[in-house]
Amino acid sequence: GDSVTQMEGPVTLSEEAFLTINCTYTATGYPSLFWYVQYPGEGLQLLLKATKADDKGSNKGFEATYRKETTSFHLEKGSVQVSDSAVYFCALMDSNYQLIWGAGTKLIIKP
Amino acid sequence: NAGVTQTPKFQVLKTGQSMTLQCAQDMNHEYMSWYRQDPGMGLRLIHYSVGAGITDQGEVPNGYNVSRSTTEDFPLRLLSAAPSQTSVYFCASINPGGNYGYTFGSGTRLTVV
């Protein structure tokens, strides 16, 4: 079945560092791909999405490109801030509109 | 624009008690889902609904019941709470014809003692 694998955390970076959180997927067809973010004590918010190969989703300085050839959707940000500290989830939407989730990656940004 | 509203935000139950977690959305979304979130395990689908009167089981349905009598509401019932059901529960909805992904509620943190 469909699955999502993302890098284990926590990932600890200093402020203004470059961020990459890896996400790969296994799926039949061409699923839509998502990154969700969960700030401490809060629910999940959609961060960005891509619906077809080579699409680039972007929001709040974060970017991710849908790579069909490597089945990847890595999350990147050029300069992280303390306020980016959160848990980040990669997910795909299957043909039944259900989300298949990665386990989440906790990001800690130190000032 | 309330989005997806979950109540209560926090609940403590004794083993064997029953309760209903409420979920309501005001976006006229067809699809609604319930997830539980446990440390290190991401989110797991409990039950979902593709429209009023239609529900189906997800990955971890045991111990939970749902119904969908209206488009807006999708309550989750715990019939006899167990400590293994201690978790954070999220309700979410989506309009499959839209292009914005799922909208999530703020969650219910449930502790079963």
Side-chain angles (χ1 to χ4, degrees):
Chain A
D2 297 351
S3 65
V4 174
T5 303
Q6 58 181 108
M7 62 189 295
E8 291 187 20
V11 173
T12 303
L13 296 172
S14 297
E15 207 166 19
E16 299 184 359
F18 184 87
L19 167 71
T20 300
I21 299 178
N22 290 337
C23 172
T24 58
Y25 67 91
T26 302
T28 55
Y30 301 90
S32 294
L33 301 173
F34 301 85
W35 278 100
Y36 280 84
V37 58
Q38 185 177 31
Y39 298 102
E42 299 185 10
L44 291 99
Q45 302 175 24
L46 178 63
L47 181 60
L48 54 83
K49 64 177 177 64
T51 58
K52 60 183 186 295
D54 299 325
D55 265 3
K56 177 185 283 188
S58 61
N59 187 25
K60 298 182 181 179
F62 291 89
E63 294 182 341
T65 301
Y66 191 144
R67 300 288 188 196
K68 180 69 176 172
E69 63 276 12
T70 55
T71 61
S72 65
F73 193 54
H74 303 324
L75 183 68
E76 297 181 336
K77 186 174 186 182
S79 177
V80 293
Q81 306 300 313
V82 172
S83 57
D84 293 326
S85 297
V87 180
Y88 292 81
F89 292 92
C90 184
L92 68 81
M93 185 177 293
D94 69 16
S95 57
N96 294 316
Y97 295 98
Q98 297 304 321
L99 288 171
I100 310 297
W101 296 88
T105 301
K106 184 174 183 178
L107 175 64
I108 300 169
I109 307 300
K110 295 186 174 181
Chain B
N1 54 338
V4 178
T5 303
Q6 287 184 240
T7 57
K9 292 190 181 301
F10 302 94
Q11 183 71 50
V12 178
L13 289 178
K14 294 182 178 179
T15 297
Q17 286 185 317
S18 63
M19 80 159 295
T20 299
L21 279 62
Q22 301 292 344
C23 176
Q25 53 94 5
D26 61 359
M27 299 170 286
N28 202 32
H29 284 176
E30 294 179 52
Y31 284 35
M32 297 185 74
S33 302
W34 275 103
Y35 295 89
R36 59 178 288 173
Q37 183 181 29
D38 301 296
M41 299 188 70
L43 282 84
R44 292 183 292 170
L45 182 65
I46 304 171
H47 285 285
Y48 65 98
S49 169
V50 300
I54 306 170
T55 64
D56 206 345
Q57 296 180 352
E59 179 185 359
V60 289
N62 292 340
Y64 308 94
N65 277 356
V66 292
S67 60
R68 184 96 180 271
S69 57
T70 66
T71 300
E72 294 78 18
D73 299 301
F74 191 43
L76 178 72
R77 297 183 187 85
L78 283 71
L79 302 178
S80 179
S84 60
Q85 293 178 304
T86 294
S87 188
V88 181
Y89 292 84
F90 288 101
C91 179
S93 71
I94 189 173
N95 178 4
N99 199 28
Y100 301 103
Y102 273 85
T103 300
F104 281 80
S106 57
T108 295
R109 185 173 295 273
L110 175 68
T111 302
V112 182
V113 298

